[in-house]
Amino acid sequence: MDILLIEDDLIEVMKLKRTVSKLNLKHSIIEAKNGEEALTYLRSGEKLPDIILLDLNMPRMNGIEFLEILKADELLQYLPTIILTTSENRADLLKCYQAGIAGYVIKPLKYEDYEYKLNAVLEYWNVNQLVKG
């Protein structure tokens, strides 16, 4: 799968890449530091990702603002978007599901728990029939 990771924290990016590598998954990771950078990539004419992993707390354009734009776009609205965040705020959770996300995963503190959750998410989406861009 091609995964667009929208995350501003370099440590989180490294953690995700380390996990994908450690689990010997053959997914490619496309990085964007914020929602604006992600939209630029998605509208560039490059091959669309299979799924999007999105952090909520980012500068310039937060995850919810990005979601609203993504889901209003006729071409991009069907990309499965999974929130990967530290936010346990119920209002964030509701806004994200109202916008049309495919899942909401809270980043655990322990690396082993993170690895387990990320593997479960990627295995699930790997067996789904995805709309290829």
Side-chain angles (χ1 to χ4, degrees), residues 1-3 15-29 51 53 111 114-127:
M1 284 188 307
D2 295 321
I3 301 165
K15 187 165 66 171
L16 182 124
K17 286 181 168 183
R18 174 182 168 205
T19 302
V20 167
S21 176
K22 183 179 177 190
L23 295 172
N24 204 22
L25 303 173
K26 303 297 181 204
H27 306 305
S28 66
I29 311 293
I51 64 170
L53 297 178
Y111 176 75
Y114 176 86
E115 187 178 285
Y116 171 78
K117 282 186 173 187
L118 189 64
N119 188 45
V121 167
L122 296 179
E123 278 187 11
Y124 174 81
W125 286 104
N126 199 41
V127 298

Side-chain angles (χ1 to χ4, degrees), residues 19-99:
T19 302
V20 167
S21 176
K22 183 179 177 190
L23 295 172
N24 204 22
L25 303 173
K26 303 297 181 204
H27 306 305
S28 66
I29 311 293
I30 305 138
E31 298 173 44
K33 292 176 183 62
N34 58 54
E36 288 179 356
E37 192 175 304
L39 286 172
T40 299
Y41 173 80
L42 290 169
R43 292 176 174 158
S44 70
E46 295 287 330
K47 181 177 177 254
L48 291 175
D50 296 308
I51 64 170
I52 297 172
L53 297 178
L54 174 64
D55 185 27
L56 289 183
N57 302 313
M58 296 179 293
R60 303 181 84 170
M61 178 188 293
N62 70 36
I64 293 172
E65 293 168 327
F66 170 82
L67 271 174
E68 290 169 352
I69 294 168
L70 182 80
K71 296 304 179 179
D73 186 295
E74 200 171 295
L75 177 65
L76 306 175
Q77 67 182 334
Y78 298 109
L79 289 173
T81 304
I82 300 98
I83 305 300
L84 191 58
T85 186
T86 57
S87 176
E88 296 185 46
N89 182 323
R90 183 162 169 74
D92 285 346
L93 177 73
L94 291 173
K95 282 181 193 172
C96 289
Y97 274 110
Q98 288 167 346

